[in-house]
């Protein structure tokens, strides 16, 4: 059944895994779509299936977000396409090896995708959202953003950036009617793990969530108005306590004098 359009959602990393499921769910919710990833044939197959099943208008943009020229093309789309009402910054890669077993060029590529591309696309989208007085961004971070000891440290650091950037934007943009949600998935059953260097079969199954359930929970969190959604966390009060502890630090993080313990230690 064709429903009234909610505008267009631009989804990065839509050719597989979490991004492809966002595409499915958002099309069924009445969004037209712009699907972005490198693998054009996978994007085309998904676009055809979703057009057949939902009747939505679906465009495909094959782009390598690690490439300045491709990224620039996407930024231009976000700056000029007035139909875009939702940006899903989902494209990302991970790594599981420690520093001593990692290649620095691969780490830099990861930062360019997970941090640089997400930042540039957000900067391209926000001024138009602000000008029209509405819009939303969903940033796919990870639990390693708050638990960087679990996997590769550059990956954890890149996702800590996504969380911190999102929290800052929530403060900057909430009064302008722009929603920004950070999603922190735990291990999710996608190609991510093979690409990151640890096959999914090596991850204990009790900590791995099916990607469909992860995305449905994240969208439920979006509907609830959550700023940060951790799909696996059983008790939301645990996150609220963590966040309250962070807020409690705020008034004392920047003061004129060092803390007494340092003055005492310095004699
Ligand atoms: P995935 O199935 O490997 O999907 C990654 C997506 O990103 C693919 O569509 C891939 O498409 C795209 N991509 C990779 N490099 C790209 C590039 N240079 N330019 C454009 N697109 C690129 O893994 P996933 O689990 O769905 O990952 C999606 C997001 O979830 C990532 O940000 C990841 O960090 C996050 N996440 C995943 C897990 C997990 O356990 N799976 C947990 C927490 C967070 P192409 O190869 O066609 O370009």
């Amino acid at each position: 059944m064709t429903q009234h359009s909610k505008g267009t959602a631009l989804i990065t990393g839509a050719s597989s895994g979490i991004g492809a499921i966002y595409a499915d769910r958002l099309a069924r919710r009445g969004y037209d779509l712009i699907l972005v990833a490198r693998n054009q044939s996978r994007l085309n197959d998904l676009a055809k299936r979703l057009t057949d099943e939902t009747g939505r208008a679906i465009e495909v943009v094959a782009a390598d977000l690690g490439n300045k020229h491709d990224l620039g093309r996407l930024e231009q789309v976000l700056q000029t396409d007035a139909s875009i009402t939702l940006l899903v910054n989902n494209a990302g890669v991970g790594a599981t090896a420690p520093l001593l077993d990692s290649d620095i060029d691969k780490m830099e590529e990861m930062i360019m995708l997970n941090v640089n591309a997400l930042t540039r696309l957000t900067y391209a989208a926000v001024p138009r959202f602000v000008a029209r007085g509405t819009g939303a961004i969903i940033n796919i971070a990870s639990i390693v953003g708050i638990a960087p000891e679990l996997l590769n440290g550059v990956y954890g650091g890149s996702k800590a950036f996504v969380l911190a950037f999102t929290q800052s934007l929530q403060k900057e943009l909430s009064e302008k009617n722009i929603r920004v949600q950070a999603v922190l998935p735990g291990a999710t059953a996608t190609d991510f793990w093979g690409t990151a260097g640890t096959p999914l079969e090596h991850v204990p199954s009790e900590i791995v969530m099916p990607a469909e359930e992860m995305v449905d929970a994240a969208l439920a969190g979006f509907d609830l108005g959550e700023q940060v959604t951790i799909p696996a966390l059983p008790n939301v009060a645990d996150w609220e306590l963590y966040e309250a502890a962070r807020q409690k630090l705020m008034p004392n993080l920047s003061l004129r004098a060092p803390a007494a313990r340092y003055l005492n230690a310095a004699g």
Side-chain angles (χ1 to χ4, degrees), residues 143-154:
I143 56 149
V144 299
I146 54 171
E149 301 89 340
L150 292 178
L151 300 177
N152 169 277
V154 177

Side-chain angles (χ1 to χ4, degrees), residues 13 15-16 18 38-39 64-65 90 141 155 159 186 188 190 193:
S15 64
S16 67
I18 292 166
R38 292 168 301 181
N39 189 325
D64 179 350
L65 296 176
N90 163 74
Y155 179 56
K159 294 302 187 177
T188 309
T190 69
W193 288 93

